Amino acid sequence: MDSLKIQLEPRSIATCSNPDMPSELLNAFEHGVLQHQNEVYTAARSHDIILDLAPTGTGKTKAGLSVIHHNRERNAIYIAPTNALIEQQTESAQKFVEAAGLPHVVKAASARHVKAWSNDRVGDRSGEKLYNVLREPATIFPECAGRPILLVTNPDIFYYSTFFAYNRLDRSNIASAFYSSFATVIFDEFHLYDAKQLVSLLFYLALSHSFGYFRDNRKVILLTATPEEACEAALMKLEEAGVKIYCVNGETQSDSMAPSQTTVNLEIRKQSEKKTLIPEIANEVLTRLKDKPDQFGAVILDSLDQVNQLNKCLCDAGAEHLRGRITGPVQSQNQRHTAAQRQVILATSTVDVGFNFERDTESERQNLDWLIFSTRDRFSFWQRIGRVGRVLGKKQTDVPSNAIAYLPEKAWEEGIESLDCAGGREFLKQTLETLNCMKRPFLEIYWKSEAFLEIARPLIELENALHNLEEDQLVQDLYTTLQKLFGGSRSWKYYKHRMMQIITAEVLAKASIKPKKEGQWSFVKTLFKQPPYIRQSFIKKFLEFNYPEQLEALSRQEFSIEELEKEFKDYEESAFELKEFAIFWKTVWSPLFRFRDSLFDSLTIYDPHCFLLDEIGETALDPFHLLRFYEFASDDSRVELVAQTKEPYQISFSLQLETSLDHFESTQLGKLWAYKNLSPIRKAGESTRSTAFPKPLLEALKNKLVPGVIIKEYGQNKWAIIKLKKQGLDCYDIIVSDNVRLKSGKYLFFPGLSGILSVASAGVALQSPDNEEFWVA
């Protein structure tokens, strides 16, 4: 049986007839206060962290904003989950603040917004502007004089600020401001956070506890309809440590209930190959347009290419004027608004949160009558099914909605057919929770690997700031709390030592052997500016890696570390070799500290034929997506789309070794590494495409090291890789050749953090470059 049909019963949410809120705050709830909103506000009086788990589309944003009233004269921050939502949530926050009589000035703070802030009274660095807005908002915004600020930002800015990732001139100031400035902190839709984002959130919560900010009445509100199990477990550890946490489940029943979602007639289908999937979905859409011309619908797919292929099918069938695409933050607000007016909206995951499918002409019933979507995990399943049939505040609430959900083929292998189709939402929820293919184990993978190193960077910065102060013990206390949250088994001393080597490599990699600018430090001067124990530790790592016999001689005291240091000072060739190692060591670990899990930056693409956009113009595109799905013309100034490919190209790499293939397999295979002489290959079947690669992509590869892991597909590895490929994991074939014995071999290359961690979790043995086990049980 390749499909299942189940009716999801209508949902209602409890209203609150006698809210325990100040009268001025009630003005911001024009349609009345819901029970979960009142519960969030009252719980914040006596708790540090409040979770609101109310269903999608039931006013969690207002619930979070209401808590600002408890610290109405102090700064607040609202972290929207995506750039695309910052404008929308800034507008919503502004309306709330005005209606509630709060004194806050609301400002959007994405990277684009910060860059556009005035330079008149501060420098033009984004970090400097951000710090000054937090230090004294009126420095940039005169209207803020004497008033607190409500900053609406995204997880990127939050991560860079709290993990000391801005440039060296601003990072300490910004981190200090982010740690201390906000009395109210609201994380919206935090279940969408990836491992790095969620770790930064939990780090902030642990720091707020260890450094006493909760005692100073800080309130943190976590908003999600689908909490991550691993995150819930971490919060329980915080509660055990003394943090006061309150959870609002949002499903409370009362005598007064308001309809929030219609009955949903759901069909669950097995997701087939794209060749059959896209025509099947197109046929479903065209049938609905013909049979139900007064209904509005949407299709949400995980793949941008699938959305664009579906768009082409509908346009070819004459439905071009009835559909609109919403596929990412690169679209302007006007483009998104125009697309939202169409009868059918084709979208990627960018609409999973905060997008309400509202039209200029408001409907008396639900905004979406039907929905077709694909899903890879149960979190996105419930998020997407919650998009259809929303009727909270609508006049007509009894018109059923329809949905088709495409689940991975693996769900049938794992027993989804046992679903009791008469059991409704609860039985469906229980069944999805039993399917391993619908889980996201990324947190456990991340925390139990060398990626735990990431929290060492902000801890080192904090330790340096508190050195010789009575508060310096707080760093060890914070690390102990983080160990309890993440399950780490290694000591702070271990991670501190390892992270200091990486930081030293980052510093030395930037230094020039012979500076060309006056006042610029030389490599040797930079090296000897490092504290002796850090400098010598890095030199020993260099010896361990390149000259192990020398390291053994050093340990036997056949010569001193000072003699070795003198060699780097006196001989340029030795200094150059140490610098090369610093570049290598920095690059090897870069996937762990890179915020976006992509090998290359997005390219600016001109789309004259509307393959990606509904209007002619420019957009940003991942280079691999470009190479796989489009024909293009490229010159020094831009990349222009020419045609869509009939069949996706296969992208692979070639690697030319300077050593033998045997040496490569014995020293580099299955390890985090950084490779030079890496070249991309674009193939259709067995034919290599000779199209010139985009110049920015070639520049990114030219004479540069590319980090990643190369493994061989054999034995136990083979079955693990087959499993991961079925799950859609990005990996690339790579041909490795040597010039010594003229041999070559075929392997698999995993360049991104998610790929590296997934491979480790699947049972493939990975190591760090210095032979430490990457997976830490």
Side-chain angles (χ1 to χ4, degrees), residues 603-612 616-619 621 626-627 629-644 682 691-696:
L603 299 174
T604 300
I605 305 295
Y606 180 63
D607 183 15
H609 305 290
C610 297
F611 297 130
L612 293 165
I616 294 173
E618 290 187 340
T619 187
L621 193 64
L626 170 72
L627 293 173
F629 299 113
Y630 295 96
E631 306 290 0
F632 56 88
S634 175
D635 57 28
D636 290 347
S637 60
R638 70 179 180 184
V639 178
E640 181 175 316
L641 299 186
V642 175
Q644 288 178 295
R682 190 180 189 219
T691 305
F693 283 85
K695 187 174 180 180

Side-chain angles (χ1 to χ4, degrees), residues 723-753:
K723 173 185 172 184
L724 291 169
K725 283 183 175 179
K726 281 188 175 181
Q727 295 174 3
L729 178 70
D730 285 335
C731 62
Y732 305 93
D733 289 336
I734 184 167
I735 302 296
V736 181
S737 307
D738 72 29
N739 287 327
V740 179
R741 298 182 180 177
L742 302 179
K743 293 172 62 177
S744 66
K746 186 177 180 181
Y747 307 87
L748 287 174
F749 178 47
F750 296 85
L753 176 62

Side-chain angles (χ1 to χ4, degrees), residues 479-496:
Y479 182 77
T480 302
T481 300
L482 291 167
Q483 269 192 310
K484 293 176 182 177
L485 298 189
F486 301 150
S489 59
R490 287 170 168 164
S491 69
W492 167 227
K493 181 180 179 181
Y494 170 86
Y495 282 113
K496 177 183 176 181

Side-chain angles (χ1 to χ4, degrees), residues 100 150 178 181 228 233 245 247 250 278 280 308 311 340 397 419 423 488 499 532 535 559 568-569 650 727 747 759:
L150 167 55
F178 262 72
S181 292
E228 162 69 51
I245 300 177
C247 182
I278 299 306
E280 180 181 313
N308 290 329
N311 178 73
T397 62
L419 170 67
M499 191 66 228
R535 178 177 70 244
F559 58 87
F568 291 119
K569 186 181 293 186
Q650 294 87 48
Q727 295 174 3
Y747 307 87
V759 168

Side-chain angles (χ1 to χ4, degrees), residues 411-429:
W412 272 258
E413 297 176 23
E414 295 180 356
I416 194 174
E417 288 175 295
S418 65
L419 170 67
D420 180 358
C421 291
R425 291 178 185 271
E426 187 56 36
F427 278 82
L428 178 58
K429 179 182 177 183

Side-chain angles (χ1 to χ4, degrees), residues 216-228:
D216 193 34
N217 208 39
R218 169 172 288 167
K219 307 296 178 185
V220 176
I221 303 89
L222 305 176
L223 307 177
T224 179
T226 50
E228 162 69 51

Side-chain angles (χ1 to χ4, degrees), residues 84-277:
L85 281 178
I86 286 183
E87 297 281 0
Q88 178 181 313
Q89 299 298 56
T90 299
E91 184 178 343
S92 297
Q94 183 62 53
K95 291 178 179 177
F96 186 94
V97 162
E98 291 175 0
L102 294 170
H104 293 71
V105 175
V106 182
K107 293 295 177 183
S110 68
R112 176 177 61 83
H113 289 104
V114 174
K115 187 175 181 179
W117 289 348
S118 171
N119 300 340
D120 291 347
R121 301 175 67 182
V122 296
D124 59 0
R125 297 193 313 275
S126 292
E128 186 178 6
K129 293 179 185 179
L130 189 57
Y131 168 65
N132 276 281
V133 160
L134 297 177
R135 181 186 62 83
E136 178 49 68
T139 303
I140 293 178
F141 303 113
E143 67 272 25
C144 289
R147 300 169 63 187
I149 193 168
L150 167 55
L151 210 62
V152 182
T153 189
N154 56 35
D156 305 41
I157 298 287
F158 185 82
Y159 172 90
Y160 276 96
S161 299
T162 56
F163 270 45
F164 295 84
Y166 276 91
N167 70 67
R168 62 181 180 81
L169 297 174
D170 302 313
R171 60 190 178 205
S172 294
N173 287 337
I174 293 176
S176 175
F178 262 72
Y179 288 142
S180 62
S181 292
F182 303 114
T184 308
V185 184
I186 305 167
F187 294 94
D188 193 9
E189 305 285 6
F190 76 94
H191 65 277
L192 293 176
Y193 284 18
D194 63 20
K196 299 172 78 68
Q197 293 169 330
L198 204 43
V199 164
S200 69
L201 184 160
L202 292 170
F203 183 93
Y204 191 84
L205 300 184
L207 181 140
S208 295
H209 168 62
S210 296
F211 281 53
Y213 291 113
F214 286 135
R215 291 193 297 272
D216 193 34
N217 208 39
R218 169 172 288 167
K219 307 296 178 185
V220 176
I221 303 89
L222 305 176
L223 307 177
T224 179
T226 50
E228 162 69 51
E229 289 180 8
C231 189
E232 287 184 310
L235 290 174
M236 287 179 63
K237 296 292 184 180
L238 273 179
E239 194 166 26
E240 292 171 3
V243 179
K244 292 175 285 186
I245 300 177
Y246 189 93
C247 182
V248 179
N249 66 30
E251 301 284 354
T252 305
Q253 301 293 307
S254 72
D255 294 335
S256 178
M257 303 292 290
S260 60
Q261 189 178 26
T262 67
T263 296
V264 179
N265 298 311
L266 172 65
E267 181 178 358
I268 300 174
R269 295 182 182 178
K270 186 184 295 186
Q271 184 165 335
S272 56
E273 295 292 327
K274 187 176 71 171
K275 286 181 180 180
T276 55
L277 176 66

